[in-house]
Amino acid sequence: MILDSETKAVELPEDHGDEIRLWLRLLTCTTLIEGEVRGRLRERFDVTLPRFDLMAQLDKVPDGMTLSDVSKRMMVSNGNVTGLVERLVESGHLDRRTSDADRRVQVIRLTKAGRAEFRKMAAEHELWIADIFADLTPKDVRELMRLLAKTKASAQKSAKARTA
Amino acid sequence: MILDSETKAVELPEDHGDEIRLWLRLLTCTTLIEGEVRGRLRERFDVTLPRFDLMAQLDKVPDGMTLSDVSKRMMVSNGNVTGLVERLVESGHLDRRTSDADRRVQVIRLTKAGRAEFRKMAAEHELWIADIFADLTPKDVRELMRLLAKTKASAQKSAKARTA
DNA sequence: TCCAATCATTTTATACTTAAAGTAATTTGG
DNA sequence: CCAAATTACTTTAAGTATAAAATGATTGGA
């Protein structure tokens, strides 16, 4: 605790340059990789990243999920999902129906064609990611996983503290 | 090298699950923090993250920079910068003038008011970031910096190989 | 029962983003 | 010097994204 001449707690402006630089580097890395993936998806499959991401969520479940589920998992707004789903239904990748139990709820699923298309894309996508991270050793990967988990927890705690 | 019965090279489908998980975690972390920063900027200063980022670029230089410079540094498209600058000039944060030496070039600078406003935002922003990363030890931060630098280099190499 | 609160989704308004095509200015090779 | 290439920026079209308000459905408590 730093005290001033009158023995009261004082807020000395601390230097947070390291954290700022870390955040910028994290952002740069993500932007770089995201741009690369986006470009390859467009080039190879003429599909956008948000559509791919949405299909990836749905591929994990056989019986579909609600728009809210998708919205939470993708960490995007509801309205965003509405539009995305609209276009994917239009293009035949998704199937959408109103829940019998609760007519507020829309359940969306991959169509057969949509799933097949996604599996093709996902297989290549996996190779791209492997290539992008190719210079990291298995130890690097483990260590990054650990540190990012810690970062995520710290960020969530901070976010929670603000909202509370 | 893996060979099949006819002694030709074969591509066995390797498992890249670790890399995929790493990428998803990286993305999750960034999205989480970005959302948090975006929310706070809007709440406290009614400003968007892209505008803040653009002003941050300009704050680093006294005499302004060209739109292309900004575009490269922010890793976004030219057209994107055109629109952002338009709105920031409109709101009085930015000053824009055509270069005397080359009439294709637009040089943009923070106005006095714009710089003052940015400094206020930046000071708080720094505290938010510090808080978001608060649970990381200095050693964690150093290690993350190192691993992200390695990741960035690896990704750039992969991107370059594709374009080449 | 019924109505107020809640919930899931959609709509609206605004802003951001990209890729690609277009415009205008400058540079360069013949 | 001049046409072709390049450069800097803008425009366009489509899509992605948010916050906030609106709509419609469900639920829980008086």
Side-chain angles (χ1 to χ4, degrees), chain B residues 65-74 76 78 81 105-106:
Chain B
M65 49 202 297
T66 70
L67 294 201
S68 297
D69 288 341
V70 174
S71 164
K72 268 172 220 141
R73 282 167 179 278
M74 291 182 74
V76 299
N78 284 346
V81 173
V105 174
Q106 302 284 320

Side-chain angles (χ1 to χ4, degrees), chain B residues 73-88:
Chain B
R73 282 167 179 278
M74 291 182 74
M75 298 195 291
V76 299
S77 67
N78 284 346
N80 189 354
V81 173
T82 295
L84 275 174
V85 166
E86 215 162 64
R87 288 182 286 270
L88 280 167

